[in-house]
């Protein structure tokens, strides 16, 4: 990249950040309402993405104190969204994982978001624009790996 390209890249970066944030907000609106806090949602997302974990590992990953994470986990357990089982190597620890109820809610939320996005794309974009968007998705994917 040359010095002349930097201002254009900076402008696109700013625009892209704003537009992606708006898209994420619209997608969040599509899922049915939830009483979960952002911290609770983050823990559920981490368990879905990374698999079963201990409270200590979750606290470290989320940058929280263990006591704070214990309160979050207790609320999620009370809502039937996580369950614990004894750690295979250290019986003092508990391995937490998503319940089937949590997995079903993730699936339903994802489907609602994808349905909305499919409808929005179909009604707002031409087939050629959808193909342009497909190419842009690949470019954005590359950026996420930078």
């Amino acid at each position: 990249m040359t010095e002349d390209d930097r201002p254009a890249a900076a402008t696109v970066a700013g625009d892209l950040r704003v537009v992606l944030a708006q898209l994420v907000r619209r997608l969040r609106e599509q899922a049915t309402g939830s009483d979960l806090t952002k911290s609770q949602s983050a823990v559920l997302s981490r368990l879905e993405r990374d698999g079963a974990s201990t409270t200590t590992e979750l606290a470290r990953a989320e940058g929280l104190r263990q006591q704070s994470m214990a309160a979050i986990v207790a609320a999620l357990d009370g809502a039937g969204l996580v369950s614990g089982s004894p750690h295979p190597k250290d019986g003092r620890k508990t391995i937490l994982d998503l319940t089937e109820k949590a997995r079903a809610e993730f699936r339903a939320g994802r489907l609602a978001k994808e349905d909305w996005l499919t409808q929005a794309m179909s009604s707002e974009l031409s087939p050629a624009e959808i193909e342009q968007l497909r190419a842009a998705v690949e470019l954005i994917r590359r950026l996420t790996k930078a």
Side-chain angles (χ1 to χ4, degrees):
M1 178 180 291
T2 67
E3 281 296 315
D4 294 337
D5 295 330
R6 288 191 190 280
T11 299
V12 172
D15 291 345
L16 183 61
R17 179 188 55 78
V18 169
V19 168
L20 289 177
Q22 290 170 339
L23 180 59
V24 166
R25 278 193 295 278
R26 288 297 307 270
L27 288 170
R28 283 186 184 140
E29 290 171 3
Q30 305 314 308
T32 56
S34 171
D35 293 334
L36 298 177
T37 67
K38 283 187 178 185
S39 295
Q40 291 167 342
S41 293
V43 168
L44 291 175
S45 294
R46 183 168 298 280
L47 286 171
E48 184 195 33
R49 184 179 58 248
D50 299 340
S53 185
T54 66
T55 302
T56 302
E57 292 165 342
L58 288 170
R60 190 176 305 119
E62 292 295 320
L64 298 172
R65 294 179 332 173
Q66 189 168 349
Q67 295 84 352
S68 299
M69 183 56 68
I72 292 168
V73 167
L76 293 173
D77 183 47
L81 299 173
V82 298
S83 62
S85 60
H87 192 286
K89 295 180 181 173
D90 185 347
R92 297 171 296 168
K93 295 180 181 179
T94 301
I95 300 289
L96 301 166
D97 204 357
L98 297 176
T99 62
E100 187 50 43
K101 176 182 176 183
R103 292 182 197 287
E105 287 183 17
F106 271 115
R107 281 190 297 274
R110 251 188 223 106
L111 288 174
K113 292 172 187 179
E114 288 178 15
D115 285 349
W116 173 83
L117 191 53
T118 299
Q119 179 59 36
M121 289 169 56
S122 297
S123 66
E124 299 294 323
L125 304 177
S126 69
E129 289 171 322
I130 291 172
E131 284 305 311
Q132 287 179 318
L133 193 53
R134 180 192 312 273
V137 167
E138 289 307 314
L139 295 175
I140 293 168
R141 184 175 287 126
R142 281 181 36 204
L143 288 175
T144 65
K145 295 177 181 177

